Amino acid sequence: MTMTALTALLAAVATLLASQCEAGFAGSTASTYTFNANKMGLDDQNYVLTQALDSATIAARNEQLQSDMAPSVHRYNMFWSSFESSGTPSSSSPVTCDSGYYMVPPDSSGLKVNGGKYNNYRCISYGQEVLTQELLQADEAIGWESAAIIWCAPVYARDPACAGQPEVATESAPDNYTDTYANFTITQTAVSATIAAQLPTLVLPPQVLENSTQGNVAAESALDSSGCSCVPADAFMPDFQDFIAYLGDRVNNGAARFGHYIIWNECANSYWTDVSPRIDVTQVVTAEGQQIWVNTYANMIKLAQAVVQQPALVYVSTDRWWGVPPVLTSWNIGRAHMGTQNLLVGLWEVLGIETEWSLVMHVYGDIGSNEMDMQNGIVNAYGWPTVYIVAAWQNQQLASAIANTPGTSYTIDNAPQRVIAATEQGWQASQNDDQTRAEWLCQAFNYADQVDTLAWMSWFDFQLGSVADDWSLVPSGIDPDLDNGQSSVTYQAMIASNPAKWGVDSSNYCCANVNVGCPA
């Protein structure tokens, strides 16, 4: 058999195996989740909506993506305020809704006090609901899973005293960034598919919430009046729970459904998850403030998990600033950051394995530069070369929780806490050419592919939808149906992740140009 024929045979076998693999939920609970053959997912909402693609074009686009890439999960921003945009607050009594909106639940039988699913009545946008259902149906038709980022409460559900986001934010190193904060020491750094064998001498930090006296770094700026970062006020947490219940009850339709729910955004960073006025997020957070922050967010996870339509995974969202102590961030104009590891330590104490939750990572940062990722063996901010370390840490917390919970049915292989998704990352086109970004895409997928518990990933975002979008990986000149997609090097890099190509076909872009993803 010639090498060409052998390569073709291996590719065919890989495609067959991928098609026969039952990915997604094998049963009615989160513990039955089976990883997809391809970890590469998709965030295509920006382009599809800004270009107002019709259903036929969306179908053609998805079919091309499935043929070229075979992605696993399609991620969406599901902003609560977009569904309750009429300005009508929720109420324990029936509400009168404006034209274009309807009342949920439609009658009193839908209230919890009468055995239903909802705490209160509310007005829901018909248009937003129908649009979301159409997107989910398009995903289901092609065999993709769908994921929702839940963020941005309607104005009525926010505390008027919430600080909100500063007007401008940029991504850079935090002031008072330090290489002396001893999180854990890595004595073996080779990336391996088996985390347990990979880090036999992992030294974990004390399981306490650390405090710091890191100082102010910037004056206050004008506040964003939208306040999307503000978590719901305590009195309106039942309405947050109602929104989660609503998505399962009236948006999901059979297999066209959300199976992944990411709760708020980068939740150790008050720029994106603002728990004020419970604590002052314009000051360095104290140990007491950290516990209030953790408890507030943990309550949101519990509320969501209690009503989410099963089977589904509910995720904690984190950013890459893993080992920074509590600090005011220069990159988010003086907003409090408690440190991602501190947040997770607190959540393990409050949620443990009694509440089902999974982990989201945002892996920004240049792959070719590690000075922000590790210094003297200490992880300050995780990046693609160090994602496996965070996965190892999470895995070790899970193993410890299982060992300390007699009679649990969870194992290291089925507990939802084992599941990690890298849902937001990328590199700005204005600062990096597409050749460089294509190379980094290859390297990032290579790192991700070697972390067993990293289930899926998506990018911010897939294709340029407007001139103001500096992060998209595929240029706007690629046609909506993607029939000329392979003229883009970043598109070629992304589709190299296809299980029929990665590790099978030496002609895939990443193998031919970056020497990763090649046949063994």
Side-chain angles (χ1 to χ4, degrees), residues 34-376:
T34 302
F35 291 10
N36 289 275
N38 189 1
K39 297 186 180 191
M40 188 69 81
L42 192 65
D43 171 12
D44 202 22
Q45 181 179 15
N46 180 32
Y47 184 87
V48 167
L49 297 185
T50 60
Q51 303 304 302
L53 302 187
D54 59 32
S55 57
T57 305
I58 292 173
R61 182 179 180 86
N62 288 356
E63 287 170 5
Q64 189 68 55
L65 278 166
Q66 179 62 19
S67 174
D68 289 346
M69 190 194 305
S72 53
V73 180
H74 198 171
R75 177 180 68 77
Y76 297 94
N77 291 322
M78 286 290 109
F79 291 176
W80 176 12
S81 58
S82 297
F83 288 82
E84 293 190 53
S85 53
S86 69
T88 302
S90 66
S91 174
S92 59
S93 302
V95 291
T96 300
C97 298
D98 295 341
S99 176
Y101 296 82
Y102 76 105
M103 187 174 73
V104 173
D107 56 57
S108 60
S109 66
L111 294 178
K112 284 185 176 179
V113 293
N114 297 321
K117 299 179 179 180
Y118 298 96
N119 296 288
N120 292 310
Y121 296 97
R122 66 204 60 258
C123 292
I124 292 291
S125 165
Y126 277 118
Q128 191 67 31
E129 180 176 294
V130 170
L131 171 63
T132 306
Q133 288 173 334
E134 289 177 351
L135 294 172
L136 291 178
Q137 288 163 9
D139 288 351
E140 191 273 332
I142 210 75
W144 298 342
E145 298 171 32
S146 304
I149 297 175
I150 311 300
W151 196 60
C152 195
V155 172
Y156 78 78
R158 305 171 193 165
D159 192 310
C162 179
Q165 290 181 328
E167 194 168 69
V168 179
T170 57
E171 172 75 11
S172 60
D175 277 23
N176 300 313
Y177 162 83
T178 175
D179 65 359
T180 60
Y181 184 65
N183 299 287
F184 49 80
T185 303
I186 302 306
T187 59
Q188 181 179 347
T189 58
V191 177
S192 166
T194 306
I195 291 175
Q198 169 185 301
L199 294 173
T201 54
L202 184 67
V203 179
L204 294 175
Q207 298 301 292
V208 295
L209 291 172
E210 297 291 342
N211 188 27
S212 170
T213 56
Q214 301 294 324
N216 241 333
V217 296
E220 280 300 296
S221 176
L223 297 183
D224 181 352
S225 61
S226 70
C228 273
S229 59
C230 297
V231 304
D234 289 340
F236 294 97
M237 282 294 182
D239 294 291
F240 160 75
Q241 186 179 54
D242 279 357
F243 179 60
I244 304 297
Y246 156 77
L247 290 175
D249 181 36
R250 306 190 75 88
V251 175
N252 289 359
N253 183 13
R257 64 186 298 274
F258 289 117
H260 306 263
Y261 293 78
I262 301 160
I263 306 303
W264 244 243
N265 185 49
E266 299 188 351
C267 298
N269 183 353
S270 65
Y271 181 85
W272 293 108
T273 297
D274 189 341
V275 299
S276 66
R278 300 168 182 86
I279 64 172
D280 185 354
V281 297
T282 69
Q283 301 295 320
V284 176
V285 63
T286 63
E288 180 183 5
Q290 287 181 68
Q291 198 62 60
I292 293 170
W293 190 337
V294 166
N295 288 342
T296 301
Y297 183 59
N299 182 49
M300 294 177 71
I301 297 294
K302 290 179 179 180
L303 289 171
Q305 185 57 255
V307 298
V308 71
Q309 185 190 56
Q310 293 290 353
L313 293 167
V314 174
Y315 294 81
V316 166
S317 176
T318 72
D319 67 10
R320 68 187 300 258
W321 300 108
W322 176 260
V324 297
V327 67
L328 293 186
T329 60
S330 60
W331 75 100
N332 285 152
I333 314 183
R335 283 289 182 263
H337 196 300
M338 70 184 297
T340 287
Q341 188 187 22
N342 282 336
L343 172 69
L344 291 178
V345 166
L347 290 176
W348 270 110
E349 292 175 349
V350 176
L351 298 176
I353 58 174
E354 289 76 22
T355 299
E356 294 184 339
W357 58 282
S358 302
L359 178 62
V360 152
M361 304 172 71
H362 289 177
V363 198
Y364 286 99
D366 295 348
I367 285 185
S369 176
N370 266 347
E371 71 271 11
M372 301 280 281
D373 296 333
M374 292 186 70
Q375 294 186 8
N376 302 327

Side-chain angles (χ1 to χ4, degrees), residues 451-486:
V451 178
D452 289 349
T453 54
L454 200 158
W456 60 278
M457 58 200 293
S458 59
W459 298 86
F460 177 53
D461 50 8
F462 177 63
Q463 185 172 6
L464 184 65
S466 69
V467 292
D469 183 2
D470 193 30
W471 292 92
S472 296
L473 293 166
V474 176
S476 59
I478 300 302
D479 294 341
D481 63 5
L482 300 172
D483 61 349
N484 63 339
Q486 298 201 38

